Amino acid sequence: MFTIMLVCFSCQWQLKPTDADTENHSEGIQRYDRIESLYLTTGDFSALQQMNTAYPMQTRMLIEDVLCLGQVNDADINTKFLYFFQDSTLQHMLSDVQRQYANIDDLDEELAMAFARLHDELPDLELPAVYAQIGSFDQSIIVGTGTLGISLDKYLGEDYPFYQEHYTEEQRRMMVRSMIVPDCLVFYILSQFPLSHEKSSIQQERDQHMGRIQWFVNRLVGRTVFNTSFVNEVDEFLKQNPSTTIQQLLSL
C-alpha cells in the first residue's frame, strides 16, 4: 500500500515499497520523461512498450499513485493514460518540459557532487537511482526504496503561467530548476531519518527536524538554499555541542 507521508509547499513526498535494486547508485538522472513524453504526444506504441519494459516500476507508480488513473494492469489503462494528457494545458506543459530540460548536465553534475558529499558524511546510507518523469502539477519528488523520482512539471519557473494561476508567490519561488537537487536531498534524507510517531504529531518537532535536514542539505550543495530560524538554530546547537555527528544530529 502506498502512503502519502508529507506535503510541503510545492512538494508531496511519498514512501513506496521495495521495488528496485537496492545497491548504491551513481549514474545520472534517468530520462524516463523523454519516453513518457513521446508516448503522450504521439501515441507511439513502441514508446509505451519501452515504458513498461525498461521502466516498469516507474510506470506503475506514475499511473497508480501520481496520476491515480487505476491499476497498471487494467485493460483500458493505456487509453486512460493517453487520454488524460490530451488536455491542452498538459500538452503544452509536455512541450515546455522537454524544451526547458533538453539538457540536464548541470543537474547531473550538482547531484553527483551532493551525493559524493552525502556518501562521505553517511557512508552507510544507500544512494538512490534517480529518474525524471512528468506528472500533472501534483507532486514534485517521489521517494521509493532505492529510487528517487523528479516530476519536472513542478520545476518550470516561478513565472510559468499555470503556476501563477494556481500557486502562491511563496510556492512559486520554490518551483524553479535550482531547487531540484536540494528538494531531492531533503526528501530523500527525510525518508531515511523520519521523526518518531510521537514527535511527528508536534508542529515544533516537525519544524526543527526539517530545519536540521535543510541545514545539512545546504552543506551538501555548498550554498544557502534554506534560510529559516530552524536552520539557523542548528548552527547554535553545534556551537554548544561540537562533538555531535551528522548521524546524531539527524536522529535527534
Side-chain angles (χ1 to χ4, degrees), residues 32-41 43-44 47-52 55 58-72 74-87 90-91 93-94 133-136:
Y32 173 71
D33 65 291
R34 287 179 171 168
I35 307 168
E36 178 191 353
S37 182
L38 178 61
Y39 174 63
L40 295 175
T41 55
D44 186 336
L48 176 64
Q49 286 182 311
Q50 189 173 358
M51 288 175 62
N52 289 322
Y55 298 95
Q58 290 88 341
T59 300
R60 178 171 60 82
M61 290 197 296
L62 175 64
I63 288 175
E64 295 183 0
D65 306 295
V66 176
L67 303 176
C68 300
L69 295 177
Q71 299 299 306
V72 73
D74 289 349
D76 61 344
I77 198 63
N78 295 332
T79 301
K80 280 186 178 180
F81 181 41
L82 183 61
Y83 181 76
F84 181 85
F85 275 92
Q86 297 316 298
D87 174 86
L90 294 181
Q91 282 289 308
M93 176 269 286
L94 289 167
Q133 68 172 18
I134 302 171
S136 59

Side-chain angles (χ1 to χ4, degrees), residues 209-236:
H209 188 59
M210 182 61 77
R212 291 189 287 269
I213 291 173
Q214 290 176 334
W215 176 91
F216 184 39
V217 169
N218 284 346
R219 178 168 165 171
L220 293 176
V221 299
R223 56 190 172 96
T224 303
V225 179
F226 305 103
N227 184 18
T228 69
S229 60
F230 296 103
V231 172
N232 295 332
E233 281 178 9
V234 179
D235 287 318
E236 294 302 316

Side-chain angles (χ1 to χ4, degrees), residues 8 66 81 86 89-90 97 102 108 125 142 146 148 156 160-161 181 195 208-209 216 223 238:
C8 179
V66 176
F81 181 41
Q86 297 316 298
T89 298
L90 294 181
V97 166
D108 278 334
L125 192 67
I142 308 297
L148 193 64
L156 293 173
Y160 193 68
V181 172
L195 272 179
Q208 290 176 332
H209 188 59
F216 184 39
R223 56 190 172 96
L238 292 176

Side-chain angles (χ1 to χ4, degrees), residues 84-130:
F84 181 85
F85 275 92
Q86 297 316 298
D87 174 86
S88 60
T89 298
L90 294 181
Q91 282 289 308
H92 189 67
M93 176 269 286
L94 289 167
S95 176
D96 291 336
V97 166
Q98 294 309 305
R99 177 177 51 81
Q100 286 198 31
Y101 290 96
N103 186 301
I104 60 169
D105 289 349
D106 58 320
L107 300 178
D108 278 334
E109 183 178 350
E110 184 179 13
L111 191 61
M113 177 195 70
F115 274 173
R117 291 174 176 170
L118 179 60
H119 182 68
D120 288 342
E121 296 277 10
L122 298 169
D124 294 332
L125 192 67
E126 174 194 327
L127 298 181
V130 184

Side-chain angles (χ1 to χ4, degrees), residues 142-155:
I142 308 297
V143 182
T145 303
T147 63
L148 193 64
I150 304 165
S151 290
L152 296 176
D153 51 289
K154 292 299 292 286
Y155 295 99

